[in-house]
Amino acid sequence: MIKIILWVIIAYGISTIITAGAIFEKPRMWIIKKSDFWGDFITCMLCIPTWVGFFLSFVLGGLTTECFGVSPYVGWFFDGMFTAGAVWAINSLVEFFEESRIK
């Protein structure tokens, strides 16, 4: 259980840094100017976490492979899908509370 929580926190952090962090502001703006497709991709909080999930699965070992005993190749795919969904859910909650603040 703790591995799943850490996985989601790490993925959310990496995804937020890539899509909204100041450290990637200049490269992100350059990509947005050069390409509509890649510009949309680099700012999408559903697209980036999918690939972050694939990356984490490769680097840290498969989350679904360890928890559910599936094949590493299948686990790699499900790790990306799980990561995308978990990060998107957290991001949706954050955006909801940002918009619902008492003004």
Side-chain angles (χ1 to χ4, degrees):
M1 184 65 171
I2 193 74
K3 185 172 181 176
I4 294 171
I5 293 168
L6 288 174
W7 182 285
V8 171
I9 291 170
I10 291 168
Y12 181 74
I14 292 170
S15 300
T16 302
I17 289 170
I18 292 171
T19 59
I23 194 167
F24 288 116
E25 184 72 24
K26 287 183 182 181
R28 194 170 47 250
M29 289 301 123
W30 183 82
I31 291 169
I32 290 169
K33 285 180 190 176
K34 296 293 181 182
S35 170
D36 289 336
F37 174 79
W38 292 109
D40 289 342
F41 177 81
I42 201 78
T43 58
C44 174
M45 270 306 262
L46 192 57
C47 308
I48 293 297
T50 304
W51 290 95
V52 169
F54 295 155
F55 174 76
L56 289 176
S57 183
F58 178 74
V59 172
L60 299 178
L63 182 67
T64 54
T65 301
E66 184 177 310
C67 294
F68 301 110
V70 299
S71 164
Y73 300 109
V74 175
W76 183 76
F77 172 77
F78 285 116
D79 288 344
M81 299 303 107
F82 168 75
T83 305
V87 169
W88 180 80
I90 292 170
N91 188 61
S92 294
L93 283 172
V94 168
E95 286 181 352
F96 172 77
F97 286 112
E98 284 178 350
E99 293 173 4
S100 299
R101 283 186 275 181
I102 298 173
K103 296 178 183 179

